[in-house]
């Protein structure tokens, strides 16, 4: 007798092929027995499609030496070729147990990528492998292609990690040709070929969540280390002219300080090339015969800096300015730049002394509406 699901005798219809594929009881019982075992006694079940009866058939003539599970996946995989009598003509499905193959692959991936993914189903240890010779009949190829999803759907997709097609018989002869990677693991497979720099960037992106957890976070206020508060108060009183700050170990630390009057270009040498920094600077200069000393807050964030550094500094800049304001230091101008070379007189003057442009007023010209002209007077 034939059934189309493991436990319910419902017909499985495939309208594209206008056929009904039935699954025999011996196949149902065989797979059910193996699926209930933590480690199955057989490595695979061979299933073919019978044209005449339009049903699946389990090959029960295979010896135990061919189908039995051994600790060597490569040897068991090589046994698949023994089930093909005519490589240029035959087609076949294999319900192949790959639990040990997946465990080894994922162990190597975890070691090379430091990934500890644990959301994979422990039951998905079976692979539906199908061999279809390109020289087989068109009908065979269409039958196998159209019936591909019936076995997993029938026995439960939770048992199957995917399907894998082979069209070259040599791939059945050498396990090294077997390159199956589940969809859930393909991102890890790609990581194996990443450069160290690419892995570092990916790890930094993951660490962003430790700083910003929601899209509406306005900033992170880190405590001020020893000496920072005093330096900001002194700069507020114009006792010193420059304070450079850095974020380190979740606190704001003093990176540099200067009591001497500096030109903006002198600040460039005090800033690292590839690391972000915060700068409070008293720009002492003369303009139109008057001495001026506005306070600038400059956030320098090089594009070559690490992703997590850019994120930490960008979420810290606003709280830092608020902390400075509480100490009496309110910047007259705030600037952000990705290149320390931008810190110059030209840039600061652009903010301190913007060029006033005369606005030219134009008389509004009355525009006639389309189709409208001089009114005609009817005679």
């Amino acid at each position: 007798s034939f059934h189309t699901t493991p436990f319910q005798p419902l017909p499985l219809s495939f309208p594209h092929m206008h056929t009904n594929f039935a699954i025999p009881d011996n196949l149902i019982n065989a797979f059910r027995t193996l699926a209930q075992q933590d480690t199955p006694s057989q490595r695979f079940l061979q299933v073919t499609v019978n044209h005449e009866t339009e049903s699946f058939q389990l090959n029960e003539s295979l010896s135990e030496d061919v189908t039995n599970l051994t600790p060597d996946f490569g040897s068991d995989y090589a046994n698949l070729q023994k089930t093909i009598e005519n490589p240029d003509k035959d087609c076949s499905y294999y319900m192949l147990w790959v639990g040990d193959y997946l465990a080894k692959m994922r162990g190597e991936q975890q070691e090379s990528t430091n990934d500890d993914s644990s959301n994979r189903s422990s039951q998905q240890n079976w692979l539906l492998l199908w061999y279809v010779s390109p020289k087989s009949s068109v009908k065979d190829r269409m039958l196998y292609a159209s019936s591909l999803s019936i076995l997993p759907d029938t026995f439960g997709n939770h048992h199957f990690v995917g399907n894998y097609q082979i069209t070259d018989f040599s791939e059945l002869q050498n396990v090294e040709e077997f390159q199956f990677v589940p969809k859930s693991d393909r991102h890890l497979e790609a990581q194996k070929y990443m450069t160290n720099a690419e892995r570092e960037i990916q790890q930094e992106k993951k660490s962003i969540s430790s700083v910003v957890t929601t899209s509406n976070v306005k900033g992170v206020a880190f405590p001020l280390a020893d000496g920072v508060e005093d330096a900001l108060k002194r700069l507020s009183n114009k006792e010193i002219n420059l304070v450079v700050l850095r974020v380190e170990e979740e606190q704001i630390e003093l990176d540099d300080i200067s009591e001497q009057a500096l030109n903006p270009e002198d600040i460039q040498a005090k800033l690292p090339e590839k690391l972000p920094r915060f700068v409070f600077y008293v720009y002492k200069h003369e303009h139109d015969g008057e001495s001026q000393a506005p306070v600038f807050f400059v956030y320098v964030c090089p594009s070559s800096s690490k992703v997590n550094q850019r994120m930490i500094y960008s979420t810290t800049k606003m709280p830092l300015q608020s902390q400075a304001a509480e100490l009496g230091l309110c910047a007259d101008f705030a600037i952000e730049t990705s290149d320390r070379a931008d810190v110059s007189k030209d840039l600061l003057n652009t903010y301190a002394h913007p060029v006033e442009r005369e606005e030219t007023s134009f008389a509004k010209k009355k525009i006639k509406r389309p189709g409208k002209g001089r009114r005609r007077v009817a005679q």
Side-chain angles (χ1 to χ4, degrees), residues 2 8 71 78-79 82 111 116-117 126 172 175 186 206 215 226 228-229 261 286 297-298 321 360:
F2 294 97
Q8 299 177 0
N79 285 333
K82 299 176 183 179
E111 183 177 348
D116 58 352
S117 300
W126 291 88
L172 288 177
V175 70
R186 287 175 188 171
K206 290 182 180 179
S215 59
D226 293 341
V228 174
E229 183 175 331
E286 289 193 2
F297 172 78
V298 184
Q321 292 178 75
T360 304

Side-chain angles (χ1 to χ4, degrees), residues 68-215:
N68 276 1
L69 181 76
T70 73
D72 187 353
F73 177 80
S75 297
D76 293 354
Y77 179 85
N79 285 333
L80 296 177
Q81 63 177 309
K82 299 176 183 179
T83 67
I84 303 294
E85 295 181 2
N86 188 340
D88 292 334
K89 180 181 177 182
D90 293 346
C91 300
S92 180
Y93 285 125
Y94 297 94
M95 301 167 75
L96 178 69
W97 191 77
V98 291
D100 50 352
Y101 168 84
L102 295 176
K104 180 180 179 182
M105 180 194 69
R106 288 167 175 166
E108 293 173 352
Q109 287 176 337
Q110 181 175 343
E111 183 177 348
S112 62
T113 63
N114 294 321
D115 184 273
D116 58 352
S117 300
S118 57
N119 59 348
R120 307 182 184 94
S121 173
S122 59
Q123 296 181 353
Q124 290 183 320
N125 289 321
W126 291 88
L127 173 68
L128 182 60
L129 185 148
W130 51 308
Y131 171 73
V132 178
S133 171
K135 297 181 181 180
S136 59
S137 67
V138 175
K139 183 176 182 180
D140 274 345
R141 280 178 279 168
M142 293 181 68
L143 279 171
Y144 276 82
S146 63
S147 60
L148 176 64
S149 62
I150 295 181
L151 292 172
D153 287 347
T154 299
F155 293 110
N157 284 286
H158 60 282
H159 288 300
F160 291 87
V161 71
N163 67 79
Y164 186 76
Q165 182 182 15
I166 292 179
T167 57
D168 189 340
F169 186 67
S170 64
E171 293 184 46
L172 288 177
Q173 297 173 307
N174 186 0
V175 70
E176 294 181 0
E177 299 290 333
F178 182 68
Q179 300 294 329
F180 173 74
V181 178
K183 288 184 179 180
S184 60
D185 296 86
R186 287 175 188 171
H187 69 290
L188 299 178
E189 183 70 11
Q191 290 183 24
K192 291 171 59 177
Y193 305 99
M194 285 183 177
T195 63
N196 290 333
E198 289 172 332
R199 286 198 184 99
E200 185 178 356
I201 290 174
Q202 186 180 64
Q203 188 62 34
E204 288 169 358
K205 288 181 179 179
K206 290 182 180 179
S207 67
I208 288 176
S209 60
S210 65
V211 178
V212 180
T213 57
T214 61
S215 59

